[in-house]
Amino acid sequence: MTMTTDEQRVDLSAPNWIWDLLICPECGAPLRADDGQLRCAGADCGFSSTYAGRVFNLLPRDLDRFQRAEDSWRTRHFDQLRKTVPQMSAVQYERFKLLNVITYYAFTSQFFFFRDYFAKTHTLRGRGLEIGGASGQLSGFVKMFYPGTEMIATDVAPINVEMGAELAGLLRFETDYLATVDAERLPFRPESFDFLCSSGMLHHLGDMRRALRQGRTVLKPGGRWYVVNELAIGSLPRRFWNSGLGAKGKWAETTGIRENSYTLGEWRAFFAGEGFRIVDTYFNRNPGQKLLSWPRSLYYAAIAKLPLALVKAGIPCEVNFVLEKQ
């Protein structure tokens, strides 16, 4: 049976529980909602923003240039993509854009990882928050594999959240809410979430300790933060990696996005210093989940054969952590 367009569209009407969680991202006071407008109840704050259905804009006003770069870079990227298909109508291009998103290695690799490892290893329950989720696919995977959960997908770039809503409609993801937020100023009440998740975003932060403190604040006691798709690298190879000749250095120059690199010891120190216990550390060396290019996949095929002790010593490798609030 063929579904009509209306049947395929995800219902964007919002459930109600988010209103119990929201606070002003600038002063922490309650937010008031009035006909699509959000206003801070604080007497001297003046923060205001918008929401529509289950999509919320909760960004503070003073983002730095690196935080704004994600939105501007993706906007340029999609503008250039649009020029490659001038024959397409606006509706056709939107479908084309989303097909490019779901066939890009970051989406497919994350799905394979989630399907083949994460969902078989971890049990998620309750209410979750995805931080820095780009197009929100991780939240979609959580809702798919753990249908009893409730999820808010967030990112700092408005274009990513808009695309996340479109992607949810295309794939029928059941993410409860999508919101633009700053990871260093989370607009949620303390102890709002049973778990957090993030994928490849902590290394972009200007003040990771502040973001970890924010995450710990909004977690319930004993709650867990699932940190996936970060990089652990030795101090010597990092010098090249972050230079103008290395992968991170080139990417930072191209996009304007902040790129940091950390050793395994530095990651552990960050987490322990902000009140997290590391429950698990997993090095993902599966070459089938590194499909950006054949050299990348070949690299992971090679280091997959090395003793884990060598990887821990500083060979660049994707690493995932499970943190627990102490």
Side-chain angles (χ1 to χ4, degrees):
M1 180 175 67
T2 303
M3 291 187 295
T4 65
T5 301
D6 287 339
E7 289 171 327
Q8 292 173 336
R9 185 178 297 118
V10 172
D11 182 12
L12 292 181
S13 61
N16 294 320
W17 53 263
I18 196 171
W19 300 109
D20 297 328
L21 311 184
L22 293 182
I23 59 174
C24 175
E26 303 206 2
C27 73
L31 289 177
R32 296 171 178 167
D34 179 23
D35 193 26
Q37 295 292 313
L38 294 169
R39 293 184 175 84
C40 178
D44 301 319
C45 179
F47 173 82
S48 65
S49 191
T50 59
Y51 71 96
R54 61 187 177 117
V55 181
F56 287 70
N57 182 356
L58 298 165
L59 284 177
R61 288 168 289 199
D62 58 338
L63 297 179
D64 66 31
R65 65 182 179 90
F66 296 104
Q67 292 169 312
R68 296 183 185 280
E70 175 77 17
D71 193 71
S72 58
W73 171 75
R74 285 200 181 271
T75 299
R76 293 195 306 271
H77 170 73
F78 286 126
D79 286 344
Q80 292 168 358
L81 185 66
R82 180 70 178 92
K83 293 175 182 178
T84 67
V85 285
Q87 73 277 17
M88 291 186 182
S89 68
V91 171
Q92 290 170 328
Y93 169 69
E94 288 304 312
R95 295 170 184 161
F96 173 74
K97 178 180 72 175
L98 291 177
L99 282 171
N100 277 269
V101 172
I102 64 177
T103 56
Y104 186 53
Y105 92 101
F107 185 99
T108 54
S109 297
Q110 191 173 78
F111 176 68
F112 293 153
F113 165 75
F114 203 94
R115 180 193 67 187
D116 298 336
Y117 176 78
F118 190 99
K120 296 178 180 179
T121 305
H122 305 295
T123 300
L124 273 56
R125 297 186 180 91
R127 185 168 292 165
L129 173 69
E130 180 185 7
I131 303 176
S135 53
Q137 65 263 22
L138 185 56
S139 289
F141 300 156
V142 170
K143 292 289 289 188
M144 183 185 302
F145 285 89
Y146 308 96
T149 56
E150 297 174 323
M151 285 298 299
I152 302 177
T154 72
D155 195 78
V156 73
I159 192 172
N160 285 346
V161 173
E162 177 185 339
M163 186 170 57
E166 295 171 355
L167 192 66
L170 177 69
L171 298 178
R172 306 192 76 180
F173 284 158
E174 296 179 336
T175 307
D176 298 274
Y177 297 97
L178 302 98
T180 47
V181 309
D182 175 9
E184 298 175 23
R185 287 170 286 184
L186 294 178
F188 305 107
R189 296 183 187 277
E191 300 184 5
S192 291
F193 299 97
D194 297 285
F195 65 91
L196 310 179
C197 56
S198 60
S199 176
M201 59 75 57
L202 288 178
H203 66 274
H204 292 306
L205 297 174
D207 190 342
M208 190 181 339
R209 294 191 183 279
R210 182 180 183 184
L212 290 173
R213 288 194 296 272
Q214 288 281 293
R216 189 179 186 279
T217 297
V218 302
L219 265 178
K220 295 179 181 179
R224 292 188 170 185
W225 188 338
Y226 299 89
V227 177
V228 303
N229 192 28
E230 294 292 354
L231 178 76
I233 187 171
S235 56
L236 289 179
R238 174 167 58 188
R239 295 181 181 179
F240 172 77
W241 208 268
N242 283 19
S243 73
L245 299 176
K248 278 189 177 289
K250 290 179 180 178
W251 182 251
E253 184 177 351
T254 299
T255 63
I257 298 171
R258 182 187 285 109
E259 288 286 354
N260 300 309
S261 297
Y262 302 107
T263 68
L264 181 61
E266 289 168 341
W267 281 116
R268 288 172 169 167
F270 277 128
F271 300 146
E274 300 306 328
F276 287 99
R277 179 174 73 90
I278 301 175
V279 176
D280 186 33
T281 303
Y282 170 68
F283 287 87
N284 184 3
R285 296 183 282 172
N286 186 336
Q289 296 168 7
K290 317 293 179 187
L291 303 177
L292 174 61
S293 62
W294 69 262
R296 178 183 175 89
S297 189
L298 184 62
Y299 170 79
Y300 274 94
I303 68 169
K305 299 181 182 300
L306 296 177
L308 184 58
L310 288 178
V311 178
K312 290 182 177 181
I315 293 176
C317 186
E318 179 185 313
V319 64
N320 307 289
F321 302 95
V322 179
L323 313 177
E324 186 173 87
K325 177 177 177 175
Q326 293 183 304

